[in-house]
Amino acid sequence: MKSDFLDELQFSAAFPLPFRVLCLVGLGILGWATNLHGLHLWGIDAGGVLDLSIYDGYRLTSPLPTDRRTGSNSAGRKHVTAQHAAQTYRPVYRLFCAYAGWMFAAWVVYRIATRGDVGGVDSFKFVPAIAALCALTALVCPFNVLYKHERDRFIASVRRCLFPSPHRVYFADVVFADIFTSFAKVLGDVWLSVYMLLPSGSLLAQPAQDGLTRWILPTIMSIPYAVRFRQCLVEYNSPNNGSRRPLYNALKYASSFPVIFLSAAQRIVVSDAMALKDETANKETWHGAQYIFRLWLLAAAFNSLYTFWWDVTNDWGLDLLVPQQASGTSRTSSLPPRPLLLPRLHSRSALLKYPASTSESSLPDEISDDPTHMLAHPPERPRPWGLRPTLLFPLAVYPFVIVVDLILRLTWSAKLSSHLHSYAEGDLVIFWIELAEVVRRWMWVFLRVEWETVKEAREIEARTRSPPPGMRTAASVGTIPEESGAIAMDRRDTVFEHDEFEFVSADNDPGREP
C-alpha cells in the first residue's frame, strides 16, 4: 500500500493535474481533426452534415457523402470537394501541432526545473500556470494570427451552446455539446487546478473545500449536461417537431445529475463523519451512508445503461437493442426531419434525375457510382443482424465500437462520482479513465455523423418522391408559383443544376463572427 502511495505521489509530481488537463484538451483537438479527416477518407462530407461552412457564408450543395458528385466534370467536382474538406481538417491539425508544441515545451521546462524532486514541485507550479494562461490568451486573441478562423469557430460554438437560440439547434452544436459532456470531469479538474495553482495550494494534493464551496465542483461538472438538456428542450418545443424523442433524449442527460450530486453528497457525509469520529470513520466502508450509496448506485446503473441504449439505438441508428417488431419497420419514416437552415433538394442528384424505381443497372456509370444514389438505394445484400441496411464503415467496426461503448459507459458514471477518487482509485487510474472516455467519444463521432448522413439521404429521397404542395421540379410541366423564404431557395435548388456552391447570407447567423 505504501509503495502504491509513493507511485501515485511520483506520478502527481512528474505529471501534475494542470498538465493532465492541458494534455486532454490537446487530445480533444487531435481527435476532432482525425474525425474530420477520417470521415473525408471514407467519402463522408462531414463539413456539409455538420454545417461547418456556415461560418464561411456558403455551404456545399449536398451534405451527403460525396467525393464523386455527378455532373459533366466528375473529376473537377471531386477535386473541389476534396479541397474544401482539406480546408476543414488541415488547419485543425496545424492548431494541434502548435498547441502540443507549446505544452510539451512547458512540461519539459517544468521537469528540468524540478529534477524529479517531489519537495520542489510546488516551487515551480508557476510553469503550468503560465502555459495555461498563454493558451487561453491565444484562444481569445482578436488578431488574425494562430489560426483565428478555427478559434472563432470554437468560440462561436461555445457561445451558441451556452446561449442558444430558443428556436433551433444546429447539428454541429449538438455534436459539440456531446463532446463537451465527455470533458465534464476535465472541467472539474480545471477548477481543482486553479485551486492548486494558488499560493496556498499544492500540486501534490487536492485542495480542501468547506461549506458551500464543496458544491462548486459537481455544479461545474454538470454544466455540459445542462447544456445538452436545454438543447433537447429547444428541439422538443420547435414548431417542426412532432415527436417525443427529444424529451426522452433530455431524460438521458437529466439522469446524469443524480449521479454527480449524490456522489458529492456522499463525499461530504463521509468527510464530515471522518471529522467527527476520526480513526473510527477510517475503518468504516468507503460508501459511508448506506442510503445515499444505494441511491447513487441505482442512478449510476440507470444512467450507464440508458445512455448506452441511446447511443446504439438513436445516435447510431442500429437495431441491436430495438424490439423485433419496431426494427422490422422503417425507424426514420416516423421521425420528423432535422431542422435545416435550407432544405436540401438538388435536381442534379441521381435521386431527382432518375426515379426511385430505376434499376441501378440501367443508370449511367457516373450515376450508379454516385454515393447519393448508393445511400438511397443500397445494393441488395443480407442485412447484418443488429445493425442496419446502410453501413458506410467496415462491418467489423460496429461490434467493436458497441462493446467498447458499453464498457466505457459503465466506467464513465463512476468517473463522474467524485467520492470514489479519494478511496479506491488514484490519479493515474482516473487519468486513464478520462483518456478512455475521450477515445470513446472520438469513436462515437464517426458513427453519429455517419447515421446523420444516412438519415439525410433518406429524407432527400422521401422529399423527392413527394415534393411539397405547390412545388414542382424543373422536369414538371407548368409554372412555378412565386414563393418566398425557404421555398424560394428550394425552387432555386430544384431548377438550377450547374452550381456547386450555395451562397447564403450569414448576417443573421448567430454563429458568425462580425
Side-chain angles (χ1 to χ4, degrees):
M1 184 68 66
K2 185 177 180 180
S3 149
D4 294 340
F5 174 75
L6 292 177
D7 291 342
E8 293 291 341
L9 191 63
Q10 289 291 340
F11 174 75
S12 298
F15 199 34
L17 183 62
F19 275 120
R20 295 200 295 270
V21 171
L22 296 173
C23 175
L24 291 171
V25 171
L27 291 177
I29 299 174
L30 177 62
W32 180 242
T34 54
N35 279 139
L36 297 176
H37 193 186
L39 290 167
H40 167 64
L41 292 178
W42 282 102
I44 300 176
D45 183 12
V49 178
L50 294 168
D51 291 328
L52 296 181
S53 299
I54 61 176
Y55 300 92
D56 306 322
Y58 70 89
R59 70 154 56 88
L60 291 173
T61 52
S62 174
L64 302 177
T66 170
D67 283 337
R68 301 168 295 175
R69 303 188 180 206
T70 59
S72 58
N73 188 359
S74 178
R77 295 179 186 275
K78 178 178 180 179
H79 174 73
V80 171
T81 308
Q83 186 178 17
H84 175 76
Q87 292 173 354
T88 302
Y89 61 78
R90 284 179 182 172
V92 185
Y93 276 126
R94 298 190 188 104
L95 180 63
F96 164 75
C97 291
Y99 176 87
W102 169 250
M103 292 306 163
F104 181 74
W107 180 76
V108 169
V109 170
Y110 167 81
R111 289 291 291 161
I112 294 175
T114 57
R115 298 179 181 178
D117 181 17
V118 176
V121 165
D122 289 334
S123 300
F124 296 95
K125 63 182 181 180
F126 65 88
V127 176
I130 293 177
L133 185 61
C134 290
L136 184 61
T137 303
L139 175 64
V140 299
C141 177
F143 303 108
N144 190 18
V145 294
L146 298 174
Y147 310 101
K148 186 177 187 298
H149 186 60
E150 280 62 42
R151 293 188 285 109
D152 288 346
R153 281 183 171 181
F154 175 79
I155 295 174
S157 296
V158 173
R159 183 186 299 117
R160 285 201 310 270
C161 287
L162 295 179
F163 309 101
S165 167
H167 306 295
R168 64 155 299 155
V169 178
Y170 287 93
F171 177 62
D173 295 339
V174 171
V175 174
F176 178 81
D178 273 320
I179 295 175
F180 201 28
T181 60
S182 292
F183 284 82
K185 180 61 173 62
V186 179
L187 285 179
D189 289 342
V190 170
W191 170 255
L192 295 178
S193 297
V194 171
Y195 259 86
M196 290 179 174
L197 295 174
L198 292 177
S200 58
S202 173
L203 295 178
L204 302 177
Q206 291 192 9
Q209 302 180 44
D210 300 319
L212 294 178
T213 58
R214 294 182 291 186
W215 294 100
I216 295 179
L217 178 62
T219 302
I220 293 176
M221 292 172 59
S222 65
I223 290 176
Y225 299 96
V227 168
R228 277 298 286 128
F229 180 79
R230 189 181 189 280
Q231 286 180 344
C232 293
L233 295 183
V234 170
E235 185 180 358
Y236 177 73
N237 293 321
S238 172
N240 297 327
N241 178 57
S243 169
R244 292 186 179 180
R245 179 180 177 274
L247 204 58
Y248 299 141
N249 198 11
L251 176 63
K252 179 186 72 171
Y253 297 101
S255 66
S256 300
F257 300 141
V259 178
I260 297 173
F261 286 97
L262 284 175
S263 174
Q266 189 170 337
R267 186 173 187 178
I268 291 173
V269 168
V270 172
S271 62
D272 290 345
M274 293 177 65
L276 292 175
K277 300 190 237 183
D278 197 19
E279 296 181 359
T280 307
N282 291 328
K283 298 179 182 179
E284 294 179 357
T285 53
W286 60 268
H287 46 76
Q290 291 291 336
Y291 291 110
I292 298 181
F293 167 70
R294 290 169 183 169
L295 287 174
W296 168 84
L297 189 62
L298 179 63
F302 176 80
N303 174 260
S304 298
L305 297 178
Y306 188 66
T307 51
F308 170 71
W309 172 81
W310 192 272
D311 283 344
V312 174
T313 306
N314 295 282
D315 288 345
W316 299 341
L318 305 179
D319 295 334
L320 179 64
L321 303 178
V322 178
Q324 188 172 4
Q325 293 180 353
S327 62
T329 59
S330 174
R331 294 161 21 128
T332 58
S333 59
S334 60
L335 298 177
R338 177 177 65 86
L340 302 174
L341 187 62
L342 292 175
R344 292 164 176 171
L345 292 175
H346 311 287
S347 61
R348 67 174 168 276
S349 68
L351 295 176
L352 294 178
K353 285 184 176 180
Y354 300 91
S357 58
T358 304
S359 63
E360 185 174 349
S361 59
S362 63
L363 294 176
D365 292 338
E366 63 178 8
I367 300 301
S368 60
D369 196 37
D370 179 48
T372 302
H373 178 75
M374 293 171 62
L375 270 181
H377 306 281
E380 293 295 332
R381 62 180 180 181
R383 181 176 182 176
W385 181 85
L387 302 182
R388 47 178 148 81
T390 307
L391 303 175
L392 305 183
F393 297 117
L395 184 61
V397 168
Y398 300 90
F400 173 77
V401 173
I402 289 173
V403 172
V404 172
D405 189 74
L406 174 61
I407 295 173
L408 295 182
R409 277 296 188 185
L410 293 174
T411 60
W412 182 239
S413 291
K415 195 184 74 60
L416 289 177
S417 306
S418 56
H419 72 275
L420 297 179
H421 302 170
S422 300
Y423 297 90
E425 300 170 341
D427 289 342
L428 181 59
V429 176
I430 292 298
F431 175 71
W432 280 112
I433 294 179
E434 289 178 326
L435 182 60
E437 171 60 18
V438 173
V439 174
R440 186 199 70 81
R441 183 61 66 178
W442 174 76
M443 295 187 296
W444 178 92
V445 170
F446 282 110
L447 270 63
R448 180 67 183 92
V449 176
E450 179 215 20
W451 174 231
E452 189 70 16
T453 301
V454 173
K455 286 196 300 181
E456 288 199 11
R458 295 177 181 177
E459 290 170 9
I460 289 180
E461 181 188 20
R463 291 174 183 176
T464 305
R465 292 180 176 178
S466 356
M471 181 72 187
R472 298 185 181 183
T473 63
S476 302
V477 179
T479 60
I480 300 176
E482 291 296 328
E483 301 284 354
S484 60
I487 297 299
M489 287 296 184
D490 252 338
R491 186 176 67 245
R492 176 191 182 278
D493 288 341
T494 308
V495 173
F496 298 102
E497 302 188 10
H498 302 292
D499 56 331
E500 182 61 22
F501 293 92
E502 180 178 298
F503 290 86
V504 182
S505 175
D507 296 337
N508 297 327
D509 184 8
R512 179 157 178 96
E513 291 293 318

